[in-house]
Amino acid sequence: MKKIALITGATSGIGRATAKRLAKLGINLILTGRRSERLEALKEELKNETVNILNLSFDIREIDAIDKAFNSIPEEWKNIDILVNNAGLAAGADPIYNGLWSDWEQMIDTNIKGLLYLSKKVIPNMMERKTGHIVNVSSIAGKETYANGNVYCATKHAVEAITKGMRIDLLPYNIKVSSVSPGMVETEFSIVRYHGDKDKADNVYKGLTPLFENDIADAIEYMVTRPAHVNINDMLIMPTAEASAVYNHREE
Ligand code: NDP
Ligand code: 8X3
């Protein structure tokens, strides 16, 4: 029997790259994100892989939409073996006194509450079957706090705490819980963070080689292919040019 993985945020970046990797491993995929046309395009791109794909388009901040999507899942897709909690974003990069309430809400609702809603939907079935693997996408921002990162860093610190809490609470149920914590990855992340300002986004990666989405997909592939008795608790992955969230080396 093929495994089933549900990946949130599969329309772009790390989530999309992970979907491609897991498809190559022969894992059936439930792909989620708001941009349904991108989900359809990815399904089409993966049509030559020997896997089935189910697309579920919803906003992870809306519990009713998540409920509706989960109620629509056919019986044969219900035994989800791997959950990749990847959907997330930074909105804005402002000092705490200038931060926009709407940005803060978007990050908290997506990165923390969305991850929790989704996990709560998937975990009971894993508990019943006493098997499963949850991979939470955290960040260097979950381990360090940098100037103007305040609320984004707080949401990723929360992801770290939730990951540890899940690992403890799910221990009796043989469910693996891992996190992957990247430094700078060049995806749509910075375009989203700077509200569509491409120049500001490009500046983030100027003069250095950042990570790319495949580098993180590679790590997730490694995590989900370990033997049953091995769990990778966390992987902190940085570009060679980035020593910490604050120190990086740029060539002029
Ligand atoms: P992208 O912007 O390329 O992808 C983000 C994904 O999240 C998209 O598929 C988007 O789908 C989805 N998403 C965002 N908001 C929602 C929502 N409300 N409902 C459903 N899906 C949503 O960025 P990345 O691939 O870089 O980001 C993926 C994860 O990696 C995030 O959690 C991010 O915090 C984390 N991360 C990123 C780093 C980086 O430097 N890029 C470094 C460390 C961690 P759609 O818009 O279609 O809904
Ligand atoms: C994304 C990496 O350094 O921009 O989580 O916070 S960073």
Side-chain angles (χ1 to χ4, degrees):
M1 271 260 290
K2 281 189 188 327
K3 285 190 171 176
I4 298 176
L6 187 155
I7 303 171
T8 67
T11 57
S12 174
I14 295 168
R16 186 170 53 195
T18 303
K20 291 180 191 176
R21 289 295 185 112
L22 299 195
K24 286 251 175 291
L25 295 177
I27 297 174
N28 288 333
L29 298 172
I30 303 177
L31 302 178
T32 81
R34 287 166 300 181
R35 288 169 286 182
S36 53
E37 68 293 347
R38 288 213 187 180
L39 292 176
E40 285 312 314
L42 183 55
K43 188 173 180 178
E44 177 65 20
E45 192 181 332
L46 296 176
K47 72 169 186 259
N48 292 330
E49 305 293 344
T50 55
V51 294
N52 295 321
I53 294 177
L54 176 68
N55 286 341
L56 292 179
S57 180
F58 55 81
D59 187 323
I60 207 167
R61 293 169 295 177
E62 291 175 13
I63 196 156
D64 290 346
I66 296 177
D67 281 343
K68 199 168 158 215
F70 270 74
N71 289 339
S72 78
I73 295 181
E75 204 50 44
E76 64 272 23
W77 284 94
K78 290 208 163 134
N79 292 342
I80 295 166
D81 301 288
I82 299 166
L83 168 62
V84 183
N85 275 319
N86 163 75
L89 79 162
D94 301 293
I96 197 78
Y97 44 84
N98 280 342
L100 295 180
W101 186 250
S102 54
D103 282 346
W104 294 356
E105 279 198 319
Q106 190 180 4
M107 290 188 279
I108 292 166
D109 289 354
T110 310
N111 301 357
I112 307 178
K113 289 163 71 178
L115 181 148
L116 286 170
Y117 289 155
L118 233 294
S119 303
K120 195 151 192 301
K121 283 297 200 191
V122 173
I123 285 171
N125 173 281
M126 289 182 169
M127 287 171 65
E128 263 172 43
R129 296 188 299 126
K130 286 218 155 85
T131 184
H133 194 167
I134 300 170
V135 180
N136 293 329
V137 179
S138 179
S139 169
I140 181 68
K143 303 184 189 297
E144 298 178 30
T145 306
Y146 50 86
N148 304 331
N150 42 68
V151 176
Y152 177 65
C153 295
T155 65
K156 290 300 182 178
H157 277 67
V159 171
E160 297 272 312
I162 291 165
T163 301
K164 289 176 191 155
M166 282 179 172
R167 195 178 298 128
I168 296 164
D169 295 346
L170 298 177
L171 202 50
Y173 300 95
N174 190 40
I175 298 172
K176 297 187 190 193
V177 184
S178 308
S179 57
V180 60
S181 306
M184 276 181 220
V185 191
E186 189 167 5
T187 59
E188 293 176 10
F189 177 85
S190 293
I191 297 172
V192 171
R193 175 172 232 171
Y194 292 109
H195 303 297
D197 186 330
K198 185 106 181 26
D199 291 339
K200 274 193 181 164
D202 286 346
N203 266 337
V204 173
Y205 311 110
K206 210 169 176 179
L208 55 71
T209 306
L211 296 168
F212 300 103
E213 57 204 37
N214 254 320
D215 298 318
I216 309 308
D218 192 33
I220 295 173
E221 174 178 348
Y222 178 78
M223 287 177 169
V224 303
T225 52
R226 292 313 84 210
H229 68 290
V230 178
N231 182 52
I232 307 296
N233 279 10
D234 184 24
M235 255 197 230
L236 173 60
I237 307 173
M238 304 293 284
T240 306
E242 198 186 8
S244 75
V246 179
Y247 292 104
N248 51 56
H249 178 74
R250 293 175 198 266
E251 302 288 349
E252 285 312 310

